[in-house]
Amino acid sequence: TTAIDIDSKYVSAYFRRGSAKYFLKDYQGVIEDCTKVIEIDPKYVSAYVKRGLAKYCLKDYQGIIEDCTNAIEIDPKNSQAYSGRGLAKYCLKDYQGTIEDCANGIKIDPKDSGAYGGRGLAKYCLKDYEGAIQDYSIAIEISPNFFLAYEHRARAKESIGDIEGAKEDRNMYDKLKN
């Protein structure tokens, strides 16, 4: 705040303060600080993404789609923007849109385990259980402690009758979650 008092156009100070507010779960504060960043510098991509994530936390799914779309228009290589928009589309039950956005994010950053997890969720909802298992497996390979991927993969395995595999994944989920 002192930096902002000295220079009210100090973009990094607003962004850092907004990032701190995100971890404090002050999502409205994040939105306010990131909006100020965007007013000062309309091409500050990270501010759109961070503001979008705050909107997601407030269940404003259309808001995150708008912010992430703006970020993508400014920087088409921003994998976080694609993943964030895909997450919002999933919440709106636009599973094909989720798959497309997560796939775009993966093309940009093949090590984004969250994008694989998001695409796996959408595939599961479309009853593409094998595809979901494949995506969850890649997510786990990238991030072995991604415990939710184990739980989701267990459900997909159950759906294809792999009860033993589902049991193993649930055991890993329980081990990692605690």
Side-chain angles (χ1 to χ4, degrees):
T1 305
T2 304
I4 293 168
D5 292 338
I6 295 169
D7 181 0
S8 65
K9 301 240 186 256
Y10 187 30
V11 174
S12 292
Y14 284 106
F15 186 74
R16 287 187 185 127
R17 186 173 74 179
S19 295
K21 288 178 180 179
Y22 186 84
F23 288 104
L24 295 171
K25 298 183 179 177
D26 175 8
Y27 303 120
Q28 197 55 49
V30 175
I31 291 168
E32 291 166 9
D33 281 346
C34 288
T35 298
K36 186 68 175 172
V37 169
I38 293 164
E39 287 171 2
I40 297 167
D41 181 358
K43 299 226 182 272
Y44 202 110
V45 174
S46 296
Y48 287 99
V49 175
K50 182 71 72 183
R51 185 174 74 176
L53 291 173
K55 289 177 179 180
Y56 170 80
C57 293
L58 295 174
K59 297 185 183 340
D60 177 5
Y61 305 126
Q62 210 51 53
I64 184 175
I65 288 172
E66 290 168 12
D67 278 344
C68 287
T69 298
N70 285 330
I72 291 165
E73 287 172 0
I74 296 165
D75 178 10
K77 298 283 185 199
N78 189 302
S79 65
Q80 288 183 323
Y82 282 106
S83 296
R85 190 171 72 177
L87 183 64
K89 288 179 179 180
Y90 172 80
C91 293
L92 294 172
K93 298 183 178 4
D94 176 4
Y95 304 127
Q96 199 55 50
T98 300
I99 291 169
E100 291 167 13
D101 277 345
C102 288
N104 283 326
I106 290 165
K107 281 181 201 167
I108 297 163
D109 181 4
K111 297 290 185 191
D112 184 349
S113 60
Y116 284 102
R119 190 170 71 177
L121 285 170
K123 287 180 178 180
Y124 178 85
C125 290
L126 293 173
K127 300 187 183 337
D128 176 7
Y129 304 122
E130 295 287 349
I133 290 167
Q134 199 170 32
D135 279 346
Y136 296 137
S137 296
I138 295 169
I140 290 166
E141 185 179 315
I142 295 167
S143 300
N145 293 327
F146 189 178
F147 63 91
L148 284 175
Y150 285 99
E151 172 62 22
H152 296 308
R153 188 171 71 177
R155 283 194 274 140
K157 285 181 176 181
E158 283 175 346
S159 297
I160 62 166
D162 181 2
I163 305 307
E164 192 57 39
K167 183 178 176 186
E168 290 171 14
D169 280 350
R170 284 231 163 70
N171 287 339
M172 280 303 294
Y173 167 79
D174 289 338
K175 179 180 172 186
L176 293 171
K177 185 180 173 206
N178 299 325

Coordinates of all heavy atoms in Angstrom, one line a residue, residues 23-94:
F23 N -4.6 -15.1 -2.0 CA -4.3 -16.1 -1.0 C -5.0 -16.0 0.3 O -5.2 -16.9 1.0 CB -2.8 -16.2 -0.8 CG -2.1 -16.8 -2.0 CD1 -1.4 -16.0 -2.9 CD2 -2.1 -18.2 -2.3 CE1 -0.8 -16.5 -4.0 CE2 -1.5 -18.7 -3.4 CZ -0.8 -17.9 -4.3
L24 N -5.4 -14.7 0.5 CA -6.2 -14.5 1.7 C -7.7 -14.7 1.5 O -8.6 -14.4 2.3 CB -6.0 -13.0 2.2 CG -4.6 -12.7 2.7 CD1 -4.4 -11.2 2.9 CD2 -4.3 -13.5 3.9
K25 N -8.1 -15.1 0.2 CA -9.5 -15.3 -0.2 C -10.3 -14.1 -0.2 O -11.5 -14.1 0.0 CB -10.1 -16.5 0.6 CG -9.3 -17.8 0.5 CD -10.0 -18.9 1.2 CE -9.1 -20.1 0.9 NZ -9.3 -21.3 1.4
D26 N -9.7 -13.0 -0.4 CA -10.4 -11.7 -0.5 C -10.6 -11.5 -2.0 O -9.9 -10.6 -2.6 CB -9.6 -10.5 0.1 CG -10.2 -9.2 -0.1 OD1 -11.4 -9.1 -0.6 OD2 -9.5 -8.2 0.2
Y27 N -11.5 -12.2 -2.6 CA -11.7 -12.2 -4.0 C -12.2 -10.9 -4.6 O -11.8 -10.5 -5.7 CB -12.5 -13.4 -4.5 CG -12.0 -14.7 -4.0 CD1 -12.7 -15.5 -3.2 CD2 -10.7 -15.1 -4.3 CE1 -12.2 -16.7 -2.7 CE2 -10.2 -16.3 -3.9 CZ -10.9 -17.1 -3.1 OH -10.4 -18.3 -2.6
Q28 N -13.0 -10.2 -3.8 CA -13.5 -8.9 -4.3 C -12.3 -7.9 -4.3 O -12.2 -7.1 -5.2 CB -14.6 -8.4 -3.4 CG -15.4 -7.3 -4.0 CD -16.0 -7.6 -5.3 OE1 -16.6 -8.7 -5.5 NE2 -15.8 -6.8 -6.3
G29 N -11.4 -8.0 -3.3 CA -10.3 -7.2 -3.3 C -9.3 -7.5 -4.5 O -8.7 -6.5 -5.1
V30 N -9.2 -8.7 -4.9 CA -8.4 -9.1 -6.1 C -9.0 -8.5 -7.3 O -8.3 -7.9 -8.1 CB -8.4 -10.7 -6.3 CG1 -7.7 -11.0 -7.5 CG2 -7.8 -11.4 -5.1
I31 N -10.3 -8.6 -7.4 CA -11.0 -8.0 -8.6 C -10.7 -6.5 -8.7 O -10.4 -5.9 -9.7 CB -12.5 -8.3 -8.6 CG1 -12.7 -9.8 -8.8 CG2 -13.3 -7.5 -9.6 CD1 -14.1 -10.3 -8.5
E32 N -10.9 -5.8 -7.5 CA -10.6 -4.3 -7.5 C -9.2 -4.0 -7.9 O -9.0 -3.1 -8.7 CB -11.0 -3.8 -6.1 CG -12.5 -3.9 -5.8 CD -12.8 -3.6 -4.3 OE1 -11.9 -3.3 -3.5 OE2 -13.9 -3.9 -3.9
D33 N -8.2 -4.7 -7.3 CA -6.8 -4.4 -7.6 C -6.5 -4.7 -9.1 O -5.8 -3.9 -9.7 CB -5.9 -5.1 -6.6 CG -5.8 -4.4 -5.3 OD1 -6.2 -3.2 -5.2 OD2 -5.2 -5.0 -4.4
C34 N -6.9 -5.8 -9.6 CA -6.6 -6.2 -10.9 C -7.4 -5.3 -11.9 O -6.8 -5.0 -13.0 CB -7.0 -7.7 -11.2 SG -5.8 -8.8 -10.4
T35 N -8.5 -4.8 -11.6 CA -9.2 -3.9 -12.4 C -8.4 -2.6 -12.5 O -8.3 -2.0 -13.6 CB -10.7 -3.6 -11.9 OG1 -11.4 -4.8 -11.9 CG2 -11.4 -2.5 -12.7
K36 N -7.9 -2.1 -11.4 CA -7.0 -0.9 -11.4 C -5.8 -1.2 -12.3 O -5.4 -0.3 -13.0 CB -6.6 -0.6 -9.9 CG -5.8 0.7 -9.8 CD -6.7 1.9 -10.1 CE -6.0 3.2 -9.9 NZ -6.7 4.3 -10.3
V37 N -5.2 -2.3 -12.2 CA -4.0 -2.7 -13.1 C -4.4 -2.5 -14.5 O -3.7 -1.9 -15.3 CB -3.5 -4.1 -12.8 CG1 -2.5 -4.5 -13.8 CG2 -2.9 -4.2 -11.4
I38 N -5.6 -3.1 -14.9 CA -6.1 -3.1 -16.3 C -6.4 -1.6 -16.7 O -6.1 -1.3 -17.9 CB -7.3 -4.0 -16.4 CG1 -6.8 -5.5 -16.2 CG2 -7.9 -3.9 -17.8 CD1 -7.9 -6.5 -16.0
E39 N -6.9 -0.8 -15.8 CA -7.2 0.6 -16.2 C -5.9 1.3 -16.5 O -5.9 2.1 -17.4 CB -7.9 1.3 -15.0 CG -9.3 0.9 -14.8 CD -9.9 1.4 -13.5 OE1 -9.2 2.2 -12.7 OE2 -11.1 1.1 -13.2
I40 N -4.8 1.0 -15.7 CA -3.5 1.7 -16.0 C -2.8 1.1 -17.2 O -2.3 1.8 -18.0 CB -2.6 1.5 -14.7 CG1 -3.3 2.2 -13.5 CG2 -1.2 2.1 -15.0 CD1 -2.6 1.9 -12.2
D41 N -2.9 -0.3 -17.3 CA -2.2 -1.0 -18.4 C -3.1 -2.0 -19.0 O -3.1 -3.2 -18.5 CB -0.9 -1.6 -17.9 CG -0.1 -2.3 -19.0 OD1 -0.6 -2.4 -20.1 OD2 1.0 -2.8 -18.7
P42 N -3.9 -1.7 -20.0 CA -4.9 -2.6 -20.5 C -4.3 -3.9 -21.2 O -5.0 -4.8 -21.5 CB -5.6 -1.8 -21.6 CG -5.3 -0.4 -21.3 CD -4.0 -0.4 -20.6
K43 N -3.0 -4.0 -21.3 CA -2.4 -5.1 -21.9 C -1.7 -6.0 -20.9 O -0.9 -6.9 -21.2 CB -1.4 -4.7 -23.0 CG -2.0 -3.9 -24.1 CD -1.5 -4.4 -25.4 CE -2.1 -3.6 -26.6 NZ -3.4 -4.1 -27.1
Y44 N -1.9 -5.8 -19.6 CA -1.3 -6.6 -18.5 C -2.1 -7.9 -18.4 O -3.0 -8.0 -17.6 CB -1.4 -5.8 -17.2 CG -0.4 -6.2 -16.1 CD1 0.6 -5.3 -15.8 CD2 -0.5 -7.3 -15.5 CE1 1.5 -5.6 -14.8 CE2 0.4 -7.7 -14.5 CZ 1.4 -6.8 -14.1 OH 2.3 -7.2 -13.1
V45 N -1.6 -8.9 -19.1 CA -2.3 -10.2 -19.3 C -2.6 -10.9 -17.9 O -3.7 -11.4 -17.7 CB -1.6 -11.1 -20.2 CG1 -2.2 -12.5 -20.3 CG2 -1.5 -10.5 -21.6
S46 N -1.6 -10.9 -17.1 CA -1.7 -11.6 -15.8 C -2.8 -11.0 -14.9 O -3.4 -11.8 -14.2 CB -0.4 -11.6 -15.0 OG 0.6 -12.2 -15.8
A47 N -3.1 -9.7 -15.1 CA -4.2 -9.1 -14.3 C -5.6 -9.7 -14.8 O -6.4 -9.9 -13.9 CB -4.1 -7.6 -14.4
Y48 N -5.7 -9.9 -16.1 CA -7.0 -10.5 -16.5 C -7.1 -11.9 -16.0 O -8.2 -12.3 -15.6 CB -7.0 -10.5 -18.1 CG -7.2 -9.2 -18.7 CD1 -6.1 -8.5 -19.3 CD2 -8.4 -8.6 -18.9 CE1 -6.3 -7.2 -19.9 CE2 -8.6 -7.4 -19.5 CZ -7.5 -6.7 -20.0 OH -7.7 -5.5 -20.6
V49 N -6.1 -12.7 -16.1 CA -6.1 -14.1 -15.6 C -6.4 -14.1 -14.1 O -7.3 -14.8 -13.7 CB -4.8 -14.8 -16.0 CG1 -4.9 -16.2 -15.4 CG2 -4.6 -14.9 -17.5
K50 N -5.7 -13.3 -13.3 CA -5.9 -13.3 -11.9 C -7.3 -12.8 -11.5 O -7.9 -13.4 -10.6 CB -4.8 -12.4 -11.2 CG -4.9 -12.4 -9.7 CD -4.4 -13.6 -9.0 CE -2.9 -13.8 -9.2 NZ -2.4 -15.0 -8.6
R51 N -7.8 -11.8 -12.2 CA -9.1 -11.3 -11.9 C -10.1 -12.4 -12.3 O -11.1 -12.6 -11.6 CB -9.4 -10.0 -12.7 CG -10.7 -9.4 -12.4 CD -10.9 -8.0 -13.0 NE -11.1 -8.1 -14.4 CZ -11.4 -7.1 -15.2 NH1 -11.4 -5.9 -14.7 NH2 -11.6 -7.3 -16.5
G52 N -9.9 -13.1 -13.4 CA -10.8 -14.1 -13.8 C -10.8 -15.2 -12.8 O -11.9 -15.8 -12.5
L53 N -9.7 -15.6 -12.2 CA -9.7 -16.7 -11.2 C -10.4 -16.2 -9.9 O -11.1 -17.0 -9.3 CB -8.2 -17.0 -10.8 CG -7.5 -17.8 -11.9 CD1 -6.0 -17.9 -11.5 CD2 -8.1 -19.1 -12.3
A54 N -10.3 -15.0 -9.6 CA -11.1 -14.4 -8.5 C -12.6 -14.5 -8.8 O -13.4 -14.9 -7.9 CB -10.7 -13.0 -8.1
K55 N -13.0 -14.2 -10.0 CA -14.4 -14.3 -10.4 C -14.8 -15.7 -10.4 O -16.0 -16.0 -10.0 CB -14.6 -13.7 -11.8 CG -14.4 -12.2 -11.8 CD -14.6 -11.6 -13.2 CE -14.5 -10.1 -13.2 NZ -14.6 -9.5 -14.6
Y56 N -14.0 -16.7 -10.8 CA -14.3 -18.1 -10.7 C -14.6 -18.5 -9.2 O -15.6 -19.2 -9.0 CB -13.2 -18.9 -11.2 CG -13.3 -20.4 -10.9 CD1 -14.2 -21.2 -11.7 CD2 -12.7 -21.0 -9.8 CE1 -14.4 -22.5 -11.5 CE2 -12.9 -22.4 -9.6 CZ -13.8 -23.1 -10.4 OH -14.0 -24.4 -10.1
C57 N -13.8 -18.0 -8.3 CA -14.0 -18.3 -6.9 C -15.3 -17.8 -6.4 O -15.9 -18.3 -5.4 CB -12.9 -17.8 -6.1 SG -11.3 -18.7 -6.4
L58 N -15.8 -16.7 -7.0 CA -17.1 -16.1 -6.7 C -18.3 -16.7 -7.5 O -19.4 -16.1 -7.5 CB -17.0 -14.6 -6.8 CG -16.1 -13.9 -5.8 CD1 -15.9 -12.4 -6.2 CD2 -16.5 -14.1 -4.4
K59 N -17.9 -17.7 -8.3 CA -18.9 -18.4 -9.2 C -19.4 -17.5 -10.3 O -20.5 -17.7 -10.8 CB -20.0 -19.0 -8.4 CG -19.6 -20.1 -7.4 CD -20.8 -20.7 -6.7 CE -20.4 -21.8 -5.7 NZ -19.2 -22.4 -5.6
D60 N -18.6 -16.5 -10.7 CA -19.0 -15.7 -11.8 C -18.3 -16.3 -13.1 O -17.2 -15.8 -13.5 CB -18.5 -14.2 -11.6 CG -18.7 -13.3 -12.8 OD1 -19.3 -13.8 -13.8 OD2 -18.3 -12.2 -12.7
Y61 N -18.8 -17.4 -13.6 CA -18.2 -18.1 -14.7 C -18.2 -17.3 -16.0 O -17.2 -17.4 -16.7 CB -18.9 -19.5 -14.8 CG -18.9 -20.3 -13.6 CD1 -20.1 -20.8 -13.1 CD2 -17.8 -20.5 -12.8 CE1 -20.1 -21.5 -11.9 CE2 -17.8 -21.2 -11.6 CZ -19.0 -21.7 -11.2 OH -19.0 -22.4 -10.0
Q62 N -19.2 -16.5 -16.2 CA -19.1 -15.7 -17.4 C -18.0 -14.7 -17.3 O -17.4 -14.3 -18.3 CB -20.5 -15.1 -17.7 CG -20.9 -14.8 -19.1 CD -20.7 -16.0 -20.0 OE1 -21.2 -17.1 -19.8 NE2 -20.0 -15.8 -21.1
G63 N -17.8 -14.2 -16.1 CA -16.8 -13.2 -15.9 C -15.4 -13.7 -16.1 O -14.5 -13.1 -16.7
I64 N -15.1 -15.0 -15.7 CA -13.8 -15.6 -16.0 C -13.6 -15.8 -17.5 O -12.5 -15.6 -18.0 CB -13.5 -16.8 -15.1 CG1 -12.1 -17.3 -15.4 CG2 -14.5 -17.9 -15.3 CD1 -11.6 -18.5 -14.5
I65 N -14.7 -16.2 -18.1 CA -14.6 -16.5 -19.6 C -14.2 -15.2 -20.3 O -13.4 -15.1 -21.1 CB -15.9 -17.1 -20.1 CG1 -16.1 -18.5 -19.7 CG2 -16.0 -17.0 -21.6 CD1 -17.4 -19.2 -20.0
E66 N -14.9 -14.1 -19.9 CA -14.6 -12.8 -20.5 C -13.1 -12.3 -20.2 O -12.4 -11.9 -21.2 CB -15.6 -11.7 -20.0 CG -17.0 -11.9 -20.5 CD -18.0 -11.0 -19.8 OE1 -17.6 -10.1 -19.0 OE2 -19.2 -11.3 -19.9
D67 N -12.7 -12.5 -19.0 CA -11.3 -12.0 -18.6 C -10.3 -12.9 -19.3 O -9.3 -12.4 -19.9 CB -11.1 -12.1 -17.1 CG -11.6 -10.8 -16.5 OD1 -11.9 -9.8 -17.2 OD2 -11.8 -10.8 -15.2
C68 N -10.5 -14.2 -19.4 CA -9.5 -15.1 -20.0 C -9.6 -14.9 -21.5 O -8.5 -15.0 -22.2 CB -9.8 -16.5 -19.6 SG -9.3 -16.9 -17.9
T69 N -10.7 -14.6 -22.1 CA -10.8 -14.3 -23.5 C -10.0 -13.1 -23.8 O -9.2 -13.0 -24.8 CB -12.2 -14.2 -24.0 OG1 -12.9 -15.5 -23.8 CG2 -12.3 -13.9 -25.5
N70 N -10.1 -12.1 -23.0 CA -9.3 -10.8 -23.2 C -7.8 -11.1 -23.1 O -7.0 -10.6 -23.9 CB -9.7 -9.8 -22.2 CG -11.0 -9.1 -22.5 OD1 -11.4 -9.0 -23.6 ND2 -11.7 -8.7 -21.4
A71 N -7.4 -12.0 -22.1 CA -6.0 -12.3 -22.0 C -5.5 -13.1 -23.2 O -4.4 -12.8 -23.7 CB -5.8 -13.2 -20.7
I72 N -6.3 -14.0 -23.8 CA -6.0 -14.7 -25.0 C -5.8 -13.8 -26.2 O -4.9 -14.0 -27.0 CB -7.0 -15.9 -25.2 CG1 -6.8 -16.9 -24.1 CG2 -6.8 -16.5 -26.6 CD1 -8.0 -17.9 -24.0
E73 N -6.7 -12.8 -26.3 CA -6.6 -11.9 -27.4 C -5.3 -11.1 -27.3 O -4.7 -10.8 -28.4 CB -7.8 -10.9 -27.4 CG -9.1 -11.6 -27.8 CD -10.4 -10.8 -27.7 OE1 -10.3 -9.6 -27.2 OE2 -11.5 -11.3 -28.0
I74 N -4.9 -10.7 -26.1 CA -3.6 -10.0 -26.0 C -2.4 -10.9 -26.2 O -1.5 -10.5 -26.8 CB -3.6 -9.3 -24.6 CG1 -4.7 -8.3 -24.5 CG2 -2.2 -8.6 -24.4 CD1 -5.0 -7.8 -23.0
D75 N -2.5 -12.1 -25.6 CA -1.4 -13.1 -25.6 C -1.9 -14.5 -25.9 O -2.3 -15.2 -25.0 CB -0.6 -13.1 -24.3 CG 0.5 -14.1 -24.3 OD1 0.8 -14.6 -25.3 OD2 1.1 -14.3 -23.2
P76 N -2.0 -14.8 -27.2 CA -2.6 -16.1 -27.5 C -1.7 -17.3 -27.0 O -2.2 -18.5 -27.2 CB -2.6 -16.1 -29.1 CG -2.4 -14.7 -29.5 CD -1.7 -14.0 -28.3
K77 N -0.6 -17.1 -26.4 CA 0.3 -18.2 -25.9 C 0.2 -18.3 -24.4 O 1.0 -18.9 -23.8 CB 1.7 -17.9 -26.3 CG 2.0 -17.9 -27.8 CD 2.0 -19.3 -28.4 CE 2.4 -19.3 -29.8 NZ 2.0 -20.5 -30.5
N78 N -0.9 -17.7 -23.8 CA -1.0 -17.8 -22.4 C -1.8 -19.0 -22.0 O -3.1 -19.0 -22.1 CB -1.7 -16.5 -21.8 CG -1.7 -16.4 -20.3 OD1 -2.2 -17.3 -19.7 ND2 -1.1 -15.4 -19.8
S79 N -1.1 -20.1 -21.6 CA -1.8 -21.3 -21.3 C -2.8 -21.2 -20.1 O -3.8 -21.9 -20.1 CB -0.8 -22.4 -21.0 OG 0.0 -22.2 -19.9
Q80 N -2.4 -20.4 -19.1 CA -3.3 -20.2 -17.9 C -4.6 -19.7 -18.3 O -5.7 -20.0 -17.7 CB -2.6 -19.3 -16.9 CG -1.5 -20.0 -16.2 CD -0.9 -19.0 -15.1 OE1 -0.9 -17.8 -15.3 NE2 -0.5 -19.6 -14.0
A81 N -4.7 -18.8 -19.3 CA -5.9 -18.2 -19.7 C -6.8 -19.3 -20.4 O -8.0 -19.3 -20.1 CB -5.7 -17.0 -20.7
Y82 N -6.2 -20.1 -21.2 CA -7.0 -21.2 -21.8 C -7.5 -22.2 -20.7 O -8.7 -22.6 -20.7 CB -6.1 -22.0 -22.8 CG -6.0 -21.3 -24.1 CD1 -4.8 -20.7 -24.5 CD2 -7.1 -21.2 -25.0 CE1 -4.7 -20.1 -25.7 CE2 -6.9 -20.6 -26.3 CZ -5.7 -20.0 -26.6 OH -5.6 -19.4 -27.8
S83 N -6.7 -22.5 -19.8 CA -7.1 -23.4 -18.7 C -8.2 -22.8 -17.8 O -9.1 -23.5 -17.5 CB -5.9 -23.8 -17.8 OG -4.9 -24.6 -18.6
G84 N -8.0 -21.5 -17.5 CA -9.0 -20.9 -16.7 C -10.4 -20.8 -17.4 O -11.4 -21.0 -16.8
R85 N -10.3 -20.5 -18.7 CA -11.6 -20.4 -19.5 C -12.2 -21.8 -19.6 O -13.4 -21.9 -19.5 CB -11.3 -19.8 -20.8 CG -12.6 -19.4 -21.6 CD -12.3 -18.6 -22.8 NE -11.6 -19.4 -23.9 CZ -11.3 -19.0 -25.1 NH1 -11.6 -17.7 -25.4 NH2 -10.8 -19.8 -26.0
G86 N -11.3 -22.8 -19.8 CA -11.8 -24.2 -19.9 C -12.5 -24.6 -18.6 O -13.6 -25.2 -18.6
L87 N -12.0 -24.2 -17.4 CA -12.6 -24.5 -16.1 C -14.0 -23.9 -16.0 O -14.9 -24.5 -15.6 CB -11.6 -24.0 -15.0 CG -12.0 -24.3 -13.6 CD1 -12.1 -25.8 -13.3 CD2 -11.0 -23.6 -12.7
A88 N -14.1 -22.6 -16.4 CA -15.4 -22.0 -16.4 C -16.4 -22.6 -17.3 O -17.5 -22.8 -16.9 CB -15.2 -20.5 -16.7
K89 N -15.9 -23.0 -18.5 CA -16.8 -23.7 -19.4 C -17.3 -25.0 -18.8 O -18.4 -25.4 -19.0 CB -16.1 -23.9 -20.8 CG -16.0 -22.6 -21.5 CD -15.3 -22.8 -22.9 CE -15.2 -21.5 -23.6 NZ -14.5 -21.7 -24.9
Y90 N -16.4 -25.7 -18.1 CA -16.8 -27.0 -17.5 C -17.9 -26.7 -16.5 O -18.9 -27.4 -16.4 CB -15.6 -27.6 -16.7 CG -16.0 -28.8 -15.9 CD1 -16.2 -30.0 -16.5 CD2 -16.2 -28.7 -14.5 CE1 -16.6 -31.1 -15.7 CE2 -16.5 -29.7 -13.8 CZ -16.8 -31.0 -14.4 OH -17.1 -32.0 -13.6
C91 N -17.8 -25.7 -15.7 CA -18.8 -25.3 -14.7 C -20.1 -25.0 -15.3 O -21.2 -25.1 -14.7 CB -18.3 -24.2 -13.8 SG -17.0 -24.6 -12.7
L92 N -20.1 -24.5 -16.6 CA -21.3 -24.2 -17.3 C -21.8 -25.3 -18.2 O -22.7 -25.2 -19.0 CB -21.0 -22.9 -18.2 CG -20.8 -21.6 -17.4 CD1 -20.3 -20.5 -18.4 CD2 -22.0 -21.2 -16.6
K93 N -21.1 -26.5 -18.0 CA -21.5 -27.7 -18.7 C -21.2 -27.7 -20.2 O -21.8 -28.4 -21.0 CB -22.9 -28.2 -18.4 CG -23.2 -28.5 -16.9 CD -24.6 -29.0 -16.7 CE -24.9 -29.3 -15.3 NZ -24.1 -29.2 -14.2
D94 N -20.3 -26.8 -20.6 CA -19.8 -26.7 -22.0 C -18.6 -27.6 -22.1 O -17.5 -27.1 -22.1 CB -19.5 -25.3 -22.4 CG -19.0 -25.2 -23.8 OD1 -18.9 -26.2 -24.5 OD2 -18.6 -24.0 -24.2

